[in-house]
Amino acid sequence: MTFQIYNKEIGVWVGESDFPTQDSNFGNTEVPLPGAVGQGITYAFDESIQMWRSYTAKQWENYLAKKMTRLPDNDEKFKAMVTDQLLSLSKSVFSASTQLVLTTRSVTELQTQLKQFTEAKQPAEAKQPTEVQQPAEAKEEAQHV
């Protein structure tokens, strides 16, 4: 039995072997190629239908453009980096704003408590009897009596 070996990522025919490959990057199938290799046709195995597809050079180019993932260029990498930094800064601003709100609330509560404490203290001071200062002569007379 002959196995047809193909690249799992893009499906392209790699070769044939009497034994199935053990490499996880490649697949094996017993489905024979629909034509001869090397006649300007590229074969790719479609696992979803378990069949080989044949492509002309132009069709293969279009197939690869759709199949292969494109790596980002330097401009796209820079934009992604700036976007990440803006996201990080936005999170920092949000955190600082939240902290400001909480601090403002705490200060307001402290001001209210201080006002209540001050108001409670003033009437208490007014109710306490205060010692009346007597002139020095009156004190001396009070001592001689």
Side-chain angles (χ1 to χ4, degrees):
M1 170 142 307
T2 303
F3 291 92
Q4 303 299 322
I5 302 169
Y6 60 94
N7 178 295
K8 281 188 172 182
E9 185 178 356
I10 57 175
V12 66
W13 179 80
V14 176
E16 62 183 27
S17 174
D18 291 334
F19 302 101
T21 181
Q22 301 301 315
D23 190 331
S24 62
N25 294 321
F26 298 101
N28 303 290
T29 182
E30 296 177 16
V31 178
L33 290 173
V37 176
Q39 298 180 2
I41 300 293
T42 302
Y43 296 103
F45 191 70
D46 187 340
E47 291 179 331
S48 67
I49 59 172
Q50 294 292 303
M51 288 182 63
W52 289 99
R53 295 184 182 269
S54 55
Y55 297 93
T56 63
K58 185 64 179 165
Q59 290 171 329
W60 182 247
E61 188 178 310
N62 291 337
Y63 172 81
L64 284 178
K66 291 177 188 172
K67 192 79 171 170
M68 298 298 293
T69 55
R70 187 179 64 82
L71 296 176
D73 61 16
N74 287 339
D75 188 42
E76 290 169 325
K77 288 178 185 177
F78 176 75
K79 287 178 183 177
M81 182 181 69
V82 169
T83 301
D84 286 345
Q85 289 176 347
L86 285 173
L87 178 61
S88 177
L89 288 171
S90 295
K91 287 179 180 178
S92 295
V93 167
F94 179 78
S95 177
S97 297
T98 302
Q99 188 61 43
L100 178 62
V101 167
L102 294 173
T103 303
T104 302
R105 187 177 299 148
S106 296
V107 168
T108 303
E109 289 174 3
L110 287 172
Q111 287 174 334
T112 303
Q113 290 174 3
L114 179 62
K115 183 178 177 183
Q116 290 171 350
F117 177 76
T118 305
E119 290 173 355
K121 188 176 180 186
Q122 287 175 350
E125 289 177 354
K127 291 179 183 176
Q128 291 179 352
T130 56
E131 186 175 307
V132 178
Q133 295 288 332
Q134 296 178 356
E137 294 174 4
K139 281 186 179 180
E140 288 178 17
E141 285 180 23
Q143 289 176 355
H144 291 292
V145 176

